[in-house]
Amino acid sequence: MPTDNKVDPRYAVVAGACLTQFMIVGLMFAYSIFFKTFEDEFGWSRTVLSAAMSVAFLVMGIMAGVMGHLGDRLGPRVVLAITGVAYGTGFALISQINEPWQLFSIFAVFIGVGLSTHDVVTLSTVARCFDKRRGMMTGFVKTGTAAGQMALPVLAAFLIASFGWRSAAWTLGIGAAFSLLVAAFLVGLPVKPAGSSAGASGPSTGLAAALKSRVFWTLCAIQFLFFPSLTTIPLHLPVFGMDLGMSTARAATLLSVIAGGSVLGRLAIGTFSDQIGGRRGFMLCLLPLIGGLLAFSVIDTRTALFAAALFYGFGHGGLFTIVAPTVAEYFGTRSVGAIFGAIVFFGTVGGALGPILAGRIFDVTGSYVIAFLTLASMATLALLLVLSLPRMAKDRATASAAAS
């Protein structure tokens, strides 16, 4: 830690990472607010609208490992600047669409590339900067995600109502490109990594060695199983609320409620994971996630939907926080970006399928019940896999303290 009165530059990195999360994930949530407008103006189905985001998630997964490797080797600034401008440009270009292929092209070329770095590069950088407070700092970074979820969908709804959807998309995209350039500069400030290249408490494993580990493949399977919930619910819950009679603005606040719950989840899981370890942190995330998904499947009133969204949000936020510190806990930080990116790839394969399948289920059945129950079943299987992970030192210490 610094001994003079200068501000620790690591906190500037945290601030930049937080701003990156705010803009990228906030706009991803805001896209769902355009659903009804596109349905009404173009007559496009929810399967088509969901598929565009699924394409972006698939590109994100394919590129995540590459971007993680580039972040490990080149540093985060250039990587985040290029992908941030691409993301903002892509959202601005939504204002020009008239055909589905245009929407798909934008999400494949611009949005997917922007999504590929917002977690992998920012969170691996934070993991290198901190050792003892790695989970806590990751939690703080991910509160930027929650703030974006709360603010940008509401802003999008306001801009659409005031100026039309094309002006809204253009304004949001240009603002995002500028903000993400500032964020990239902050994350790229020179900072001495905490401890050794592996961190004070973990191994130092390269990607090649990680690929031979059962733990790596278990984490990949866990990510594949829970990530569809994290991509499907934010995209479909607002329109589900509109189906129950909510206005567009009111439905946008559902995302704010999820974000509010996720703030608690991100901070709590981020802080406690430093003491209890990633394995137990995963458990604390998955249980409320499963409970929220089951509640969505039986809810038919607006008030109950808000309550379930808050409960679900805790698990949602915690899961976005726990993965990077867990990877560092099991494998160290020497190649944390590349390993984390490889795990994210498997999550985004599931994440790409989730929204489009949920949209298809609704188009066929007129209901989201089967989709919600399927997501709950997958999250339950993820919980069982978490129980199979080996206990690390923090996990064993927590268990011993509980038994004494």
Side-chain angles (χ1 to χ4, degrees), residues 25-26 28-30 32-33 142-154 227-241 246 249-267 285 288-289 291-293 295-296 299 302-321 372 375:
V25 180
M28 183 181 71
F29 272 54
S32 65
I33 305 303
K142 295 302 291 185
T143 61
T145 301
Q149 292 168 8
M150 286 188 284
L152 294 187
V154 175
F227 206 76
S229 296
L230 309 190
T231 58
T232 301
I233 296 304
L235 199 60
H236 285 278
L237 196 65
V239 73
F240 176 54
M246 293 183 183
R250 184 71 168 171
T253 62
L254 278 171
L255 299 179
S256 299
V257 171
I258 290 178
S262 74
V263 170
L264 299 177
R266 295 171 205 276
L267 293 177
C285 298
L289 185 88
L293 291 168
F296 292 150
I299 282 172
R302 286 170 277 182
T303 302
L305 187 59
F306 279 102
L310 183 66
F311 192 66
Y312 162 87
F314 183 94
H316 177 106
L319 284 168
F320 272 116
T321 301
F372 292 145
L375 293 173

Side-chain angles (χ1 to χ4, degrees), residues 43 63 77 100 107 195 377 386:
M63 297 296 295
R77 178 176 291 172
F107 273 75
S377 299
V386 167

